[in-house]
């Protein structure tokens, strides 16, 4: 509700964030697109988000596949550890990363920020992919191998396509997480890696203008599109699961 | 056993190892680095290794034996890293004031003299005859220190080794810690007060009503935390919507102070964390048979009594894990208090960020971070135990 209440302010022509809105304009969106600081931060968010998503989706999907069969001892403990980045206070992790990244030469670099974001994205990928793997009926895979398919073929032709919606929705969550991340970015990024969220955070602190609300609207539209995509994929997967197990 | 399970196990291991390695390097190592910054203090022992080795044998009563003094002279002559030396001097000076001038003088004298044997420290500067300077040196030598951890809870170690509280006014870490738990507690209570009835309502209704109620919880969870905080920032301002509406309605004459104070922080954090309370309670209530309340009613219990004796006890596990979750996330919050709160509402996270980014006091930032981390992880494991599957979000 509070979000809905402020969004119209993005279209005000005034410099003040107050109602009633006298005149509507796209002035603040033009500002977003033209002001160097904002334009750069949007580009950075996309670059870093894509890098973090790629990294966390690959690592998280592999691990979720590995944990699936529960052949290893301590699977539950591993799971708990893999989900830890979600609960460790961001400032604590940020301070540690800053100290370590300076030593490793990763501070204020794009790979450094991508890696830092990927750590936070991994839990979402694990949860999403694990859920979709649980929905796969093992008898389908057994049927495939009984028909003579090698393990690799079973994975490529059966398991992977069935798990794909979960993998993609994990990636979507990862991207959304990276888009929204402020605190870690504050610690590990330099001025050149300023992301949209980071830029919003500092402009709220220093001098709030309708540009921030316009940026917020942009973020909301972005995440709602992504969430819609994820929901669509899950719905599709449920349909597939229904069809696979009559 | 056949070879197949072994091969399967190996395959599972190979799939997990990349993430395990990644998290070990980029998640556990940073946390370890931060904790080490709190307890390791090897600047002095690294710059003055010979002194460090020989001063251990000194009883700390009268002046140290000549070999300790010679070791110090030798160390100062060999010290190449000026920056590390400067850090050592600063560290010693913070223990005993006057150490800086003493060290500068001594170092210059040692550098000027060619031969170590000719330097008599007591002759060079009378202060070397005072045991307190040597004591400070001895205290600074051990590579592990509890100084930062004690400072994090406003305590310090006296010269004789006893631990005492810092005088009031010197540091406010304990106050900030109490404040953090207090704010997190208030937010948890507020979330419970709103979340419990909401979750019961959502579980009681069916069809599109339930969908709408659930979406109202889930959509904020999907939208960015920053956007939600921004929204509250705009709403709570003196010229903001809430004050504007209240003034237009004639309820108040002057704007209520809603932002940059505790009220604003609690309102914004409660809104942000509410889904974490509603979802666990809701999922617990879903497994409650629908006819239980009817059964209670048929046994003669009034609606209130049925609620009190049946529904409330049944929703307690959800309430408990929801509260744990909200409290755990709340104590680590940074963004919302930083933006909506005033100077007296900053929580531990803000103080850590201040020490790390503002004053580069890594030791204290690490010590406070360690306390926050330990509390959070303990709560997380309790939560994991309670709710069987340690998932934070229903993603």
């Amino acid at each position: 509700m509070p979000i809905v209440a402020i969004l119209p302010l993005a279209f005000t022509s005034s410099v003040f964030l107050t109602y009633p809105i006298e005149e509507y304009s796209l002035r603040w969106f033009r500002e977003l697109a033209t002001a160097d600081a904002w334009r750069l931060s949007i580009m950075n968010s996309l670059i870093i988000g894509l890098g973090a998503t790629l990294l966390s989706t690959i690592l998280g999907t592999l691990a979720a596949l590995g944990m699936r069969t529960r052949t290893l001892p301590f699977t539950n403990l591993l799971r708990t550890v893999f989900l830890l980045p979600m609960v460790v206070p961001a400032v604590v992790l940020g301070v540690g990363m800053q100290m370590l990244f300076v030593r490793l030469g990763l501070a204020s670099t794009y790979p450094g920020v991508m890696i830092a974001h990927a750590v936070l994205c991994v839990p979402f990928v694990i949860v999403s992919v694990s859920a979709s793997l649980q929905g796969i009926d093992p008898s389908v895979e057994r049927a495939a191998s009984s028909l003579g398919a090698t393990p690799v073929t079973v994975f490529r032709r059966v398991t992977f396509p069935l798990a794909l919606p979960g993998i993609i929705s994990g990636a979507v969550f990862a991207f959304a997480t990276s888009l929204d991340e402020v605190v870690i970015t504050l610690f590990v990024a330099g001025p050149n890696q300023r992301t949209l969220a980071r830029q919003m955070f500092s402009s709220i602190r220093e001098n709030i203008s309708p540009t921030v609300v316009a940026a917020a609207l942009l973020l909301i539209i972005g995440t709602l599109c992504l969430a819609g995509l994820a929901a669509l994929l899950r719905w599709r997967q449920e349909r597939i699961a229904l069809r696979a197990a009559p | 056993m056949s070879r197949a399970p072994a091969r399967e196990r190996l395959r599972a291991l190979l799939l997990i190892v990349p993430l395990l390695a990644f998290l070990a390097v980029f998640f556990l190592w940073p946390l370890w680095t931060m904790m080490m910054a709190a307890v390791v203090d090897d600047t002095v022992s690294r710059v003055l290794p010979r002194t460090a080795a020989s001063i251990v044998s000194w009883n700390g009563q009268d002046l140290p034996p000549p070999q300790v003094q010679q070791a110090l002279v030798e160390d100062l002559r060999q010290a190449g890293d000026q920056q590390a030396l400067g850090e050592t001097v600063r560290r010693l000076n913070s223990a005993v004031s006057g150490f800086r001038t003493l060290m500068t003088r001594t170092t210059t004298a040692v550098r000027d003299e060619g031969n170590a044997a000719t330097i008599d420290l007591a002759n060079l500067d009378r202060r070397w005859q005072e045991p307190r300077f040597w004591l400070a040196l001895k205290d600074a030598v051990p590579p592990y220190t509890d100084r930062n951890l004690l400072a994090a809870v406003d305590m310090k170690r006296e010269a004789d080794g006893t631990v005492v509280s810092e005088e009031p006014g010197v540091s406010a870490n304990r106050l900030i810690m109490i404040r953090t738990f207090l704010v997190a507690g208030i937010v948890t209570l507020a979330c419970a007060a709103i979340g419990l009835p909401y979750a019961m309502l959502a579980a009681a209704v069916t069809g599109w009503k339930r969908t709408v109620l659930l979406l109202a919880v889930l959509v904020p969870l999907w939208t960015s935390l920053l956007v939600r905080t921004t929204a509250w920032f705009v709403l709570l301002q003196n010229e903001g919507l809430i004050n504007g509406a209240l003034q237009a309605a004639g309820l108040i004459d002057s704007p209520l102070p809603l932002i940059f104070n505790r009220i604003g922080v609690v309102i914004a954090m409660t809104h942000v964390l509410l889904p974490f309370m509603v979802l666990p309670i809701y999922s617990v209530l879903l497994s409650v048979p629908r006819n239980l309340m009817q059964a209670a009613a048929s046994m003669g219990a009034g609606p209130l009594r049925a609620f009190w004796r049946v529904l409330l006890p049944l929703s307690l596990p959800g309430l408990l894990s929801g509260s744990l979750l909200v409290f755990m996330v709340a104590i680590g919050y940074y963004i919302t208090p930083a933006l909506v709160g005033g100077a007296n509402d900053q929580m531990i996270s803000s103080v850590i960020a201040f020490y790390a980014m503002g004053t580069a006091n890594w030791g204290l930032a690490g010590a406070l971070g360690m306390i926050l981390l330990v509390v959070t992880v303990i709560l997380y494991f309790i939560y994991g135990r309670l709710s069987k599957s340690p998932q934070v979000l229903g993603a």
Side-chain angles (χ1 to χ4, degrees), chain B residues 75-282:
Chain B
D75 276 335
L76 287 177
R77 179 176 292 128
Q78 303 278 332
D81 188 347
Q82 287 308 305
Q83 203 186 337
L85 184 62
E87 219 160 279
T88 300
V89 171
R90 192 161 356 132
R91 162 90 177 77
L92 291 170
N93 199 58
S94 72
V96 180
S97 63
F99 224 124
R100 188 187 301 275
T101 52
L102 177 61
M103 283 297 271
T104 314
R105 194 162 173 195
T106 312
T107 313
T108 317
V110 167
R111 294 267 157 84
D112 290 346
E113 282 302 326
N115 186 1
T118 58
I119 293 182
D120 182 5
L121 288 176
N123 260 343
L124 181 75
D125 194 307
R126 293 183 52 81
R127 280 176 289 185
W128 283 123
Q129 291 176 8
E130 295 176 44
R132 61 192 184 107
F133 285 97
W134 290 103
L135 265 175
L137 199 55
K138 188 181 161 89
D139 278 348
V141 153
Y144 293 95
T145 174
D146 56 4
R147 190 166 41 98
N148 290 313
L149 282 172
L150 288 173
V153 288
D154 290 351
M155 315 250 282
K156 63 176 178 183
R157 204 174 270 282
E158 292 283 308
D160 58 1
T162 52
V163 174
V164 296
S165 277
E166 195 82 66
E167 297 94 58
V170 173
S171 151
N173 292 330
R174 211 184 290 175
L175 180 77
I176 287 159
M177 238 174 268
I178 293 171
R179 180 194 297 158
T180 302
F181 292 124
L182 189 73
V183 171
I186 296 173
V187 170
T188 309
L189 284 180
C191 281
I194 304 172
L196 185 63
Y198 191 96
M200 285 179 170
L201 190 65
V205 298
T206 47
W208 65 270
K209 285 182 194 154
R210 176 183 280 185
T211 314
V212 169
L213 283 176
L214 281 184
L215 270 182
V217 175
L218 284 174
V219 168
L221 200 61
W222 286 333
T223 38
S224 138
L225 163 68
L226 191 60
V227 170
R228 281 180 283 166
T229 307
T230 315
W232 280 111
F233 189 92
V234 175
L235 282 181
L236 295 172
Q237 284 182 91
N238 282 349
E239 308 81 38
L241 259 188
I242 295 179
N243 271 317
L246 288 176
Q247 270 174 309
L251 290 172
I252 49 171
D253 298 326
S254 55
L256 292 174
L258 292 174
I259 199 165
F260 306 129
N261 59 25
R262 192 70 49 90
I263 302 172
V265 174
V266 171
I267 293 178
M269 280 180 70
T270 302
H271 172 243
V272 168
L273 294 175
L274 196 55
F276 293 115
M277 181 68 83
V278 171
L279 293 177
I281 302 178
Y282 171 76

Side-chain angles (χ1 to χ4, degrees), chain A residues 94-126:
Chain A
V95 171
M97 279 185 171
Q98 187 178 25
M99 288 190 222
L100 182 68
F101 280 19
V102 168
R103 231 192 288 166
L104 299 179
L106 283 170
S108 306
T109 64
Y110 281 97
V113 184
M114 287 175 189
I115 288 172
H117 281 198
V119 169
L120 295 180
C121 299
V122 154
F124 294 93
V125 177
I126 298 247

Side-chain angles (χ1 to χ4, degrees), chain A residues 7-241:
Chain A
L7 287 181
L9 289 172
F11 297 98
T12 185
S13 64
S14 139
V15 286
F16 300 110
L17 283 161
T18 48
Y19 281 104
I21 294 170
E22 321 247 293
E23 198 190 342
Y24 290 88
S25 88
L26 290 175
R27 173 181 171 191
W28 301 109
F29 289 94
R30 263 198 302 279
E31 162 110 10
L32 269 188
T34 50
D36 276 345
W38 287 101
R39 218 188 47 222
L40 242 169
S41 69
I42 294 173
M43 286 307 295
N44 275 338
S45 271
L46 294 178
I47 297 170
I48 289 165
L50 284 177
T53 302
L54 204 63
L55 193 58
S56 58
T57 306
I58 293 172
L59 292 171
T61 302
L62 290 180
L65 284 168
M67 284 189 296
R68 180 186 178 208
T69 48
R70 300 194 162 267
T71 45
L72 289 177
F74 314 120
T75 311
N76 274 331
L77 182 71
L78 270 179
R79 216 182 143 70
T80 312
V81 171
F82 286 158
L83 297 185
L84 259 182
M86 217 179 325
V87 289
V88 164
V91 170
V92 172
L93 189 56
V95 171
M97 279 185 171
Q98 187 178 25
M99 288 190 222
L100 182 68
F101 280 19
V102 168
R103 231 192 288 166
L104 299 179
L106 283 170
S108 306
T109 64
Y110 281 97
V113 184
M114 287 175 189
I115 288 172
H117 281 198
V119 169
L120 295 180
C121 299
V122 154
F124 294 93
V125 177
I126 298 247
V127 168
S128 177
V129 178
S130 299
S132 84
L133 287 175
Q134 257 169 22
I136 298 176
D137 188 349
S139 60
V140 180
E141 290 160 287
R142 271 201 301 274
S145 36
S146 74
L147 291 172
T150 61
V152 177
T153 316
V154 173
F155 177 75
R156 208 162 45 88
R157 301 291 296 273
V158 180
T159 317
F160 183 72
L162 284 173
L164 195 58
I167 296 171
I168 295 175
S169 81
V172 167
F173 271 111
F175 189 72
T177 307
S178 167
L179 268 192
D180 193 30
E181 166 50 41
V182 179
V183 184
I184 303 276
T185 319
L186 226 49
F187 283 96
V188 298
N192 289 329
Q193 290 86 36
R194 209 166 239 262
T195 59
L196 181 61
R198 168 86 178 73
Q199 172 73 18
M200 279 175 68
F201 179 74
S202 53
S203 33
I204 296 171
R205 273 191 141 178
E206 286 146 22
N207 166 36
I208 186 162
S209 79
T211 328
V212 178
V213 183
L217 183 63
L218 214 63
L219 262 184
I220 290 178
I221 293 172
T223 37
L224 279 187
C225 287
L226 291 173
L229 184 64
L232 190 74
L233 286 167
R234 191 157 311 160
W235 177 74
R236 252 200 60 184
Q237 183 173 29
E238 272 162 21
R239 299 265 312 247
I240 293 173

